[in-house]
Amino acid sequence: GAGVSQSPRYKVAKRGQDVALRCDPISGHVSLFWYQQALGQGPEFLTYFQNEAQLDKSGLPSDRFFAERPEGSVSTLKIQRTQQEDSAVYLCASSLFAQTSWKGYTFGSGTRLTVV
Amino acid sequence: GENVEQHPSTLSVQEGDSAVIKCTYSDSASNYFPWYKQELGKRPQLIIDIRSNVGEKKDQRIAVTLNKTAKHFSLHITETQPEDSAVYFCAASIIQGAQKLVFGQGTRLTINP
């Protein structure tokens, strides 16, 4: 597609519910990132995939957060037993990384998760 | 790890005046510094970036300067227009490896007509 697509656009979850957020990166983009953006804050790194390999998950806040990208394209961020502090916008970004021609990220529009 | 501080948190300028937003970073290995503009409810959009092998870069009304010795970089917007009103984020990254971006806290820029 022309851009990074995320769904759903909005999600309201009851505390304790599991949620799954989807990211469709730009076709052919090797790198995929998830960020969490709390209200009024800058995005914070969660995890990074190079193709299907999850190379960095140092930003995942707890073991309730899990991400996958099984075929190296679409990615899913899953949050189990959601809590109120999980309320945020979850941004996905992709990039076509090459040593000499990296152009930076393209972000999706995000999924706004509200836990009630 | 890397830490990025951004100032000011809010900035209000008259239309036509210039706006300057400043960021400092902690990791001397960082070599890529993008700036993103985010309008309410929208995705962050890259407006300009600079790599550590240059000190300044301009694109029409927008410029970024980098001082590697002092570990700070700044965004300059000249001849501001109402459509420049948004939240601006600076970030720092190391190009090699994971390309993880560390963002500043953001600056809400308001252009007053």
Side-chain angles (χ1 to χ4, degrees), chain B residues 8 17 25 46 48 68 70 85 97:
Chain B
D17 288 351
Y25 62 98
L46 179 70
I48 195 168
K68 285 219 73 177
S85 295

Side-chain angles (χ1 to χ4, degrees), chain A residues 9 12 45 49 59 74 76 86 92 102 108:
Chain A
R9 189 75 175 87
V12 178
F45 172 81
F49 291 86
V74 171
T76 304
D86 300 334
C92 176
W102 183 46

Side-chain angles (χ1 to χ4, degrees), chain A residues 8-20:
Chain A
R9 189 75 175 87
Y10 302 94
K11 177 70 179 178
V12 178
K14 291 185 178 179
R15 190 166 45 184
Q17 188 179 353
D18 296 350
V19 298

Side-chain angles (χ1 to χ4, degrees), chain B:
Chain B
E2 176 66 278
N3 183 52
V4 176
E5 297 286 335
Q6 182 172 348
H7 300 281
S9 56
T10 61
L11 179 60
S12 182
V13 301
Q14 289 298 120
E15 183 178 352
D17 288 351
S18 296
V20 180
I21 303 170
K22 300 183 179 182
C23 290
T24 61
Y25 62 98
S26 61
D27 189 344
S28 56
S30 291
N31 56 13
Y32 175 69
F33 307 93
W35 286 87
Y36 285 85
K37 176 182 180 182
Q38 188 174 34
E39 297 178 55
L40 190 63
K42 301 280 184 66
R43 70 187 74 197
Q45 292 200 308
L46 179 70
I47 56 171
I48 195 168
D49 57 12
I50 191 168
R51 303 191 182 203
S52 59
N53 56 346
V54 297
E56 183 174 0
K57 183 177 178 181
K58 290 186 72 172
D59 182 4
Q60 299 182 17
R61 298 186 296 108
I62 294 173
V64 57
T65 59
L66 171 64
N67 183 328
K68 285 219 73 177
T69 303
K71 289 193 276 192
H72 67 69
F73 56 113
S74 300
L75 176 71
H76 304 252
I77 307 174
T78 58
E79 301 171 20
T80 53
Q81 301 169 3
E83 53 264 36
D84 295 330
S85 295
V87 179
Y88 291 80
F89 293 98
C90 63
S93 180
I94 300 171
I95 292 180
Q96 300 293 337
Q99 316 156 54
K100 174 170 60 180
L101 289 177
V102 178
F103 284 85
Q105 300 88 337
T107 296
R108 180 173 299 279
L109 175 63
T110 302
I111 308 301
N112 301 308

Side-chain angles (χ1 to χ4, degrees), chain A residues 10-32:
Chain A
Y10 302 94
K11 177 70 179 178
V12 178
K14 291 185 178 179
R15 190 166 45 184
Q17 188 179 353
D18 296 350
V19 298
L21 313 180
R22 177 188 168 106
C23 173
D24 228 312
I26 293 174
S27 178
H29 274 198
V30 169
S31 299
L32 185 146

Side-chain angles (χ1 to χ4, degrees), chain A residues 25 29-32 49 51-52 68-75:
Chain A
H29 274 198
V30 169
S31 299
L32 185 146
F49 291 86
N51 296 307
E52 69 278 5
E68 60 184 6
R69 193 186 185 197
E71 297 178 358
S73 56
V74 171
S75 177

Side-chain angles (χ1 to χ4, degrees), chain A residues 30-73:
Chain A
V30 169
S31 299
L32 185 146
F33 304 80
W34 284 98
Y35 284 80
Q36 181 189 60
Q37 186 174 23
L39 189 63
Q41 301 294 315
E44 291 194 358
F45 172 81
L46 293 177
T47 188
Y48 160 63
F49 291 86
Q50 184 173 335
N51 296 307
E52 69 278 5
Q54 188 174 19
L55 299 186
D56 187 343
K57 52 182 180 179
S58 61
L60 296 176
S62 77
D63 59 8
R64 297 186 295 104
F65 287 71
F66 172 75
E68 60 184 6
R69 193 186 185 197
E71 297 178 358
S73 56

